Amino acid sequence: MAERREELLKAAIGQIEVRGVSAVRIADVATALGVSNALVIYHFSTKEKLVAAAFAHAAEDDLAQLRRLLGRRTTALRRLRAAVRWYAPTGQAKGWRLWIEGWAAALREPALREVARDLDMEWKAAIAEVIAEGVAAGQFHCPDPTGAAFRLTALLDGLAVQMTAYTGAVSRARAQEWVDDALARELGLHREAFTRSGR
């Protein structure tokens, strides 16, 4: 049962990437796996629930990687820099096209909006927590870890839109420079010291 559900979710993710949230149908997911529409409906009941579950499933790998990066036994600064560099559209985080599609669809689909909001808050909370750890350890200064997490993720999300939707609008090197500048600013560090200690 769990394996079948995972197969359906992976097929749904694939179909969303190809067709977009608004155009994908339960029949597309069923056809991709060679199963009946009824089987998809049995597991998810509606297209909206299928899409919301597919987005949650897609995020799990990235969230697991974020937890691994932030759980390393090193300084908060190194963990934070590794996480931000990985999450940035210049790094290895997957699925920016999928998430941009999801954000747009979430404006019209309450089930997807709830899932996307909850996942977004998990990211922000994890970043805020490691910033607060670094402040407590005296590694850097940040009077508002939660605000800093919101600002950093907003920058990363915005850069992802620019770099994914408008090829060539911002170079990878320029985006990484802006990310490093923003992180250093949020932590009250000089960029040179920040980049040297973050290696």
Side-chain angles (χ1 to χ4, degrees):
M1 188 80 112
E3 284 180 20
R4 174 58 80 184
R5 182 180 170 86
E6 186 167 346
E7 287 175 357
L8 291 168
L9 290 171
K10 286 181 177 177
I13 292 164
Q15 291 300 308
I16 290 167
E17 288 174 340
V18 169
R19 302 171 190 277
V21 171
S22 59
V24 76
R25 303 168 304 151
I26 283 177
D28 298 322
V29 176
T31 300
L33 285 178
V35 300
S36 68
N37 290 0
L39 180 67
V40 181
I41 292 168
Y42 170 78
H43 282 277
F44 299 100
S45 73
T46 67
K47 173 194 159 179
E48 290 73 26
K49 288 181 181 176
L50 171 63
V51 167
F55 272 88
H57 185 75
E60 257 325 295
D61 285 344
D62 280 351
L63 284 169
Q65 176 64 12
L66 177 69
R67 291 182 198 109
R68 280 191 291 276
L69 289 169
L70 295 181
R72 289 179 175 167
R73 297 185 72 178
T74 186
T75 66
L77 179 57
R78 286 179 184 270
R79 289 181 285 142
L80 182 60
R81 187 162 190 250
V84 169
R85 279 189 164 253
W86 171 78
Y87 176 83
T90 59
Q92 298 301 313
K94 302 186 300 279
W96 278 114
R97 287 187 182 278
L98 182 70
W99 283 104
I100 292 167
E101 177 75 32
W103 292 332
L107 295 171
R108 298 173 299 283
E109 296 185 20
L112 181 55
R113 180 167 50 247
E114 186 175 335
V115 167
R117 182 194 62 227
D118 290 349
L119 292 168
D120 185 60
M121 291 308 295
E122 281 190 60
W123 280 95
K124 288 174 171 58
I127 297 294
E129 184 178 338
V130 78
I131 292 173
E133 286 176 25
V135 170
Q139 294 171 25
F140 44 76
H141 176 74
C142 179
D144 180 13
T146 299
F150 270 73
R151 288 185 293 273
L152 286 168
T153 55
L155 172 64
L156 296 170
D157 292 345
L159 285 171
V161 171
Q162 289 294 311
M163 296 175 74
T164 304
Y166 312 117
T167 305
V170 179
S171 72
R172 287 173 61 89
R174 176 59 60 88
Q176 191 60 68
E177 182 183 320
W178 290 344
V179 169
D180 285 347
D181 285 345
L183 186 53
R185 194 168 41 251
E186 290 291 352
L187 303 181
L189 300 172
H190 293 293
R191 185 168 181 269
E192 294 75 16
F194 162 71
T195 53
R196 189 167 53 249
S197 64
R199 284 190 181 121

